[in-house]
Amino acid sequence: MTRHCPQARFLPAILIPFAVLEFAGTAWAAQPAGHASGMGGSAEGLFVAEIVLLLLVGRGLGEIFQRYGQPAIMGQLIGGILLGPSLFGWIWPGAQHLIFSTDPAQKSMIDAVSQLGILLLLLLTGMETDLRLVRRVGAACFSISMSGVVVPFACGFALAQVLPGSLLPDPTQRIVAGLFLGTALSISSVKIVAMVVREMNFMRRNLGQVIISSAIIEDTIGWLIIAVTFGIATNGSLQVLPLITTVAEVALFMVFSFTIGRRLVFTLIRWSNDSFRSEYAVITVILIIMGVMALITNLIGVHTVLGAFVAGILVGESPILSNHIESQLRGVITALFMPIFFGMAGLSADLTVLADPTLALLTLALVTIASVGKFGGAFIGGRFAGMSLKEATAVGSAMNARGSTEVIVASIGLSMNILSHNLFTMIVTMAVITTLAMPPMLRWALGRLPVGDAEKQRVDRELLDERGFVSRLERLLLLVDDSPAGKFTAYLAGLIGGGSGMPTTLLHLEGGQLPGAVRDKGPERASREVKKGAARSARAVRKAEDTPVDKVHLTARTELEATAETIATEARKGYGLLLVGLENALTDKATFSGALNDITSGFDGPLCLVLNGAKSTGKMPMLRAGTTILVPVNGTEVARRAADFALALARPHRARVKVLYVSQVRKGSRPGSVSHRREEAVLKDVVDLADRYGVAVDTAIRTRATPDKAIAREVTKGAAMVVMGVTQRPGEELFFGDTATAVLAAVACPVVLLASERVRRAEAEEAATETGP
């Protein structure tokens, strides 16, 4: 029997780059001297070859590293080191010098991509910076980050003062070099820290959130220090007045960014998303925002990375930024610019210089000082914040990962001629060693920490949120008129969106107005109802979770008519739910009107229809403490969505929710049967959801009755409204099944139908063909 090595499947990927190198070296060796650096086709060919090699080697090694529990970024950095003078240039210097030419014109092409990569990486880092998490965690992370920055920064600054002059391009600039070296030693990589914390399922644990928040604060402090250091280096020496001016300008920039700038960024992203029809318009606007803010920081005399980082924070906090848009931007940065930047950083490092015993000892000292200083600073901060010995050890282990952030800092120092190539190589070596050592250390430290009861309950609640329907909504589309159903729907939309400051677009339809209604006051009335519900919901969230809630972002406009075309045009902007509240939405036979059929056909996502039962007087209920909302469930996902929706409506008013499971099993079946266990599991899931919302819930199981009759019977016991999860059936007209139709015909209270995504007839027929009868 043949035995296979587990690494064998990676060998083709590893050998491919060397085959490309051999082919490239043979091809370009035949070119006339100097041709590669000219403006002919060979210059472009070399540029493409550099890109291809950096992507092949960087992504290939990154994949291998990730499979073995290490950050993919380190694989990309080491890939660049292997392609540089450390290996490729040592084994085959002629080919290495030919492909990665030192000719200024040729080198500037790949350097430009790398420099753009720095800005995009800082944009992405800013987008991943969750300032709300920092505010929620509290003071512990500030203690950790302050001591975790001060101690290693002091060590790095002191080390720069005693380094041999040969390691500094200008020995007279030790202060500036000390600022760079101190920053490089003190800053942590949020991306790598978050990767390990997430892998260990600690992202929601108290300590995990403290670790991430501390890394975020350290990152922010580090970029502020780099910005000021850049200003000092630009002036050539440490001068008091220019330093004060630089600090004041950075402070003004930060204040402007997080006040007026925040609103401008939100407005621009929303405007581009809602106004442009071309593809990826929002991504273009985000890149423009990043470029403008980078130019502003450049004009005030600090590095462009600060502008890109702050732009990323503002973009990440934008309420209109969908996961889809963010993933598109993340994809191009991760796939192209990240491997090229880290590969180029690795190319600048020459590990062969460590053959010098003096440099090797200095590098070992640098790694030791960096590790002890960072671990010790974070450990002291954790103990000062009241953490146990095991918790402080885990924090110190986590903060010791430099990774991408330190490489960026060192690259900036190298480009500004503050760090020599030898010192840059030492810093990159230290970054690689500390980053590769962090994941196993942190896994060991976190594995020793038990979880308490209170923390477990909170983690379980947040896991429920992940499965929730309302918590995953990002934007609401609301279509109402001036009828009681319209105003009630607007209020319900405010209750749903207000808890998270969800962006909401209100379309007020001028048809179906009440007698005597003032025509131009319709949008204002509907907007007031949305804001009233949002304020009520926000107060409930703040009281229950003690977290700040943004105001609901409401856009309101009047529509003379609503058709499938107008709704489809609006739906292209991206909405998670369409809520409709219109007068005369039902015919006398409890079927849906032609107008409602036409309107909803333009929206393919989930629908929420607020309807009056056929026996209703037209008056909508008042939600208050003690009001009962009835939710029928049957174990399906759409029924769970309805329960989640009803609980979100009940929470602001402390209303009650009654969950009704209608069972078709025979009366007298054994309690331990499969059917009973399923019913109990479904009801327990809803009870757990209710605990998350802090809502009182009653459960009931009804047997030997059809679902519509059981629901109608429960309504007569005092339910103010019914929330039903239904499935849209394929066809040109709205139809949600016989049960929903029968309930609408039998009850007198409002019925909220929370419908699944539309299933088109062609899709249904294709699915039926594939699955068979």
Side-chain angles (χ1 to χ4, degrees):
M1 182 181 294
T2 303
R3 299 184 65 182
H4 297 281
C5 175
Q7 286 80 14
R9 61 182 180 275
F10 296 124
L11 290 178
I14 296 174
L15 294 175
I16 287 175
F18 292 99
V20 174
L21 290 174
E22 184 175 0
F23 171 78
T26 303
W28 275 298
Q31 296 291 336
H35 185 68
S37 60
M39 297 303 293
S42 197
E44 289 79 4
L46 283 176
F47 172 70
V48 173
E50 291 170 345
I51 297 288
V52 169
L53 283 173
L54 290 172
L55 292 179
L56 269 174
V57 177
R59 295 292 289 182
L61 286 178
E63 178 70 17
I64 295 173
F65 270 62
Q66 191 161 350
R67 287 174 182 250
Y68 285 91
Q70 292 288 347
I73 292 173
M74 287 296 99
Q76 297 165 12
L77 178 61
I78 292 175
I81 293 175
L82 297 180
L83 288 174
S86 303
L87 181 65
F88 182 35
W90 178 57
I91 295 174
W92 194 0
Q96 202 274 341
H97 292 155
L98 180 63
I99 296 176
F100 296 101
S101 173
T102 56
D103 179 77
Q106 183 71 44
K107 195 170 185 296
S108 63
M109 298 172 69
I110 191 70
D111 281 344
V113 180
S114 178
Q115 292 302 311
L116 179 59
I118 292 179
L119 295 182
L120 291 173
L121 281 170
L122 266 296
L123 174 71
L124 187 59
T125 302
M127 291 173 64
E128 295 172 342
T129 300
D130 189 353
L131 296 182
R132 289 170 294 186
L133 176 62
V134 175
R135 291 193 294 264
R136 185 167 67 246
V137 168
C141 57
F142 288 97
S143 171
I144 294 168
S145 56
M146 289 300 107
S147 61
V149 167
V150 170
V151 173
F153 184 89
C155 293
F157 187 86
L159 180 62
Q161 310 313 308
V162 298
L163 283 175
S166 59
L167 289 177
L168 300 175
D170 185 358
T172 63
Q173 296 293 318
R174 288 185 180 273
I175 292 180
V176 178
L179 292 174
F180 263 95
L181 189 57
T183 305
L185 266 62
S186 61
I187 203 166
S188 297
S189 174
V190 176
K191 184 183 293 294
I192 293 174
V193 172
M195 179 204 76
V196 180
V197 172
R198 185 180 297 111
E199 175 195 305
M200 294 289 294
N201 293 322
F202 259 75
M203 189 61 78
R204 291 189 178 86
R205 294 277 299 271
N206 295 338
L207 184 62
Q209 295 187 354
V210 169
I211 289 173
I212 298 298
S213 300
S214 301
I216 288 171
I217 296 174
E218 289 185 7
D219 235 23
T220 306
I221 293 173
W223 295 121
L224 290 174
I225 296 174
I226 286 298
V228 175
T229 304
F230 184 86
I232 296 173
T234 303
N235 294 324
S237 61
L238 181 58
Q239 302 174 14
V240 176
L241 185 59
L243 176 60
I244 294 174
T245 303
T246 299
V247 172
E249 288 174 338
V250 170
L252 286 174
F253 170 75
M254 298 297 287
V255 171
F256 172 82
S257 298
F258 288 100
T259 53
I260 299 173
R262 182 196 299 268
R263 290 193 289 271
L264 285 175
V265 169
F266 291 178
T267 302
L268 284 171
I269 291 178
R270 184 167 194 162
W271 170 74
S272 61
N273 182 76
D274 293 355
S275 302
F276 287 92
R277 296 290 184 89
S278 55
E279 291 185 327
Y280 312 122
V282 176
I283 293 179
T284 301
V285 170
I286 290 173
L287 295 177
I288 291 172
I289 291 170
M290 178 201 73
V292 169
M293 296 190 74
L295 285 174
I296 292 174
T297 55
N298 185 64
L299 288 174
I300 65 178
V302 298
H303 203 278
T304 52
V305 294
L306 178 63
F309 178 68
V310 174
I313 293 176
L314 300 183
V315 168
E317 289 189 338
S318 173
I320 203 66
L321 187 69
S322 66
N323 291 331
H324 179 61
I325 294 173
E326 186 177 355
S327 64
Q328 289 174 338
L329 185 59
R330 186 187 307 275
V332 69
I333 295 173
T334 303
L336 176 62
F337 290 99
M338 191 178 291
I340 291 175
F341 167 72
F342 287 111
M344 289 298 295
L347 279 169
S348 301
D350 184 2
L351 297 187
T352 60
V353 301
L354 299 183
D356 183 342
T358 302
L359 289 179
L361 288 174
L362 286 173
T363 303
L364 181 61
L366 179 64
V367 172
T368 303
I369 292 172
S371 301
V372 173
K374 190 63 181 178
F375 179 89
F379 181 86
I380 292 170
R383 293 293 285 170
F384 187 76
M387 290 184 171
S388 67
L389 185 64
K390 290 182 179 179
E391 290 173 334
T393 300
V395 169
S397 301
M399 295 298 105
N400 208 25
R402 271 74 174 197
S404 58
T405 312
E406 182 162 6
V407 174
I408 295 173
V409 173
S411 298
I412 294 172
L414 181 64
S415 66
M416 294 174 63
N417 202 35
I418 294 172
L419 305 178
S420 66
H421 275 85
N422 286 348
L423 185 54
F424 173 81
T425 298
M426 293 166 58
I427 293 175
V428 170
T429 303
M430 182 264 290
V432 171
I433 292 174
T434 57
T435 303
L436 294 181
M438 188 278 281
M441 286 179 59
L442 184 57
R443 292 187 188 102
W444 169 79
L446 292 181
R448 302 167 65 223
L449 294 173
V451 56
D453 293 337
E455 185 179 8
K456 186 177 186 304
Q457 290 176 2
R458 181 183 60 78
V459 171
D460 290 343
R461 287 198 304 267
E462 293 182 0
L463 286 173
L464 278 174
D465 283 346
E466 269 197 355
R467 296 181 57 209
F469 173 69
V470 173
S471 61
R472 295 201 306 267
L473 291 175
E474 295 178 340
R475 196 178 186 190
L476 302 179
L477 179 59
L478 178 61
L479 177 64
V480 299
D481 58 14
D482 282 332
S483 65
K487 289 189 285 186
F488 186 61
T489 304
Y491 181 69
L492 297 184
L495 294 178
I496 293 298
S500 58
M502 199 178 301
T504 301
T505 298
L506 167 64
L507 304 180
H508 175 261
L509 191 61
E510 286 202 337
Q513 290 173 302
L514 294 175
V518 181
R519 178 171 292 269
D520 61 355
K521 294 295 183 181
E524 287 80 358
R525 276 196 297 270
S527 297
R528 282 199 300 270
E529 292 296 326
V530 174
K531 292 175 181 177
K532 184 170 71 173
R536 183 89 189 195
S537 182
R539 284 196 299 270
V541 171
R542 281 195 296 268
K543 183 177 180 181
E545 302 182 7
D546 194 26
T547 56
V549 179
D550 293 333
K551 291 182 179 179
V552 64
H553 298 265
L554 180 64
T555 300
R557 67 173 185 265
T558 299
E559 296 286 338
L560 296 178
E561 63 175 352
T563 63
E565 289 74 19
T566 58
I567 296 298
T569 299
E570 186 67 29
R572 293 192 192 101
K573 301 172 184 178
Y575 294 92
L577 181 67
L578 169 63
L579 297 97
V580 181
L582 301 174
E583 191 177 27
N584 300 324
L586 292 175
T587 65
D588 295 337
K589 297 180 179 180
T591 58
F592 300 106
S593 66
L596 186 63
N597 274 288
D598 182 51
I599 289 169
T600 56
S601 66
F603 192 83
D604 289 336
L607 296 174
C608 177
L609 306 180
V610 181
L611 308 163
N612 276 315
K615 298 181 179 179
S616 171
T617 60
K619 186 177 180 181
M620 291 292 162
M622 293 291 293
L623 293 181
R624 57 171 64 93
T627 301
T628 298
I629 302 175
L630 178 64
V631 184
V633 296
N634 58 1
T636 61
E637 181 58 31
V638 290
R640 191 181 192 278
R641 283 186 181 184
D644 188 34
F645 196 83
L647 292 167
L649 295 178
R651 179 186 196 176
H653 291 277
R654 302 180 65 85
R656 300 185 68 86
V657 171
K658 185 163 189 178
V659 185
L660 174 66
Y661 194 110
V662 181
S663 174
Q664 299 297 318
V665 300
R666 293 180 179 179
K667 188 175 182 180
S669 60
R670 291 179 291 105
S673 65
V674 174
S675 177
H676 270 285
R677 289 198 300 269
R678 170 181 165 79
E679 295 158 4
E680 291 169 358
V682 170
L683 293 177
K684 182 182 182 303
D685 183 43
V686 179
V687 170
D688 290 341
L689 270 177
D691 290 340
R692 170 69 185 98
Y693 282 100
V695 173
V697 63
D698 300 315
T699 61
I701 299 177
R702 296 290 178 261
T703 59
R704 301 183 67 181
T706 59
D708 56 295
K709 291 181 178 179
I711 294 168
R713 191 175 301 125
E714 288 297 328
V715 168
T716 60
K717 297 179 181 179
M721 59 186 293
V722 179
V723 178
M724 290 183 64
V726 293
T727 301
Q728 295 194 59
R729 308 300 169 87
E732 299 302 325
E733 295 186 354
L734 280 179
F735 182 63
F736 303 114
D738 294 330
T739 299
T741 303
V743 169
L744 286 170
V747 302
C749 66
V751 178
V752 176
L753 296 182
L754 188 64
S756 62
E757 293 80 354
R758 176 178 291 274
V759 180
R760 300 294 183 185
R761 182 187 299 276
E763 295 172 357
E765 291 175 352
E766 181 180 353
T769 302
E770 292 177 354
T771 58

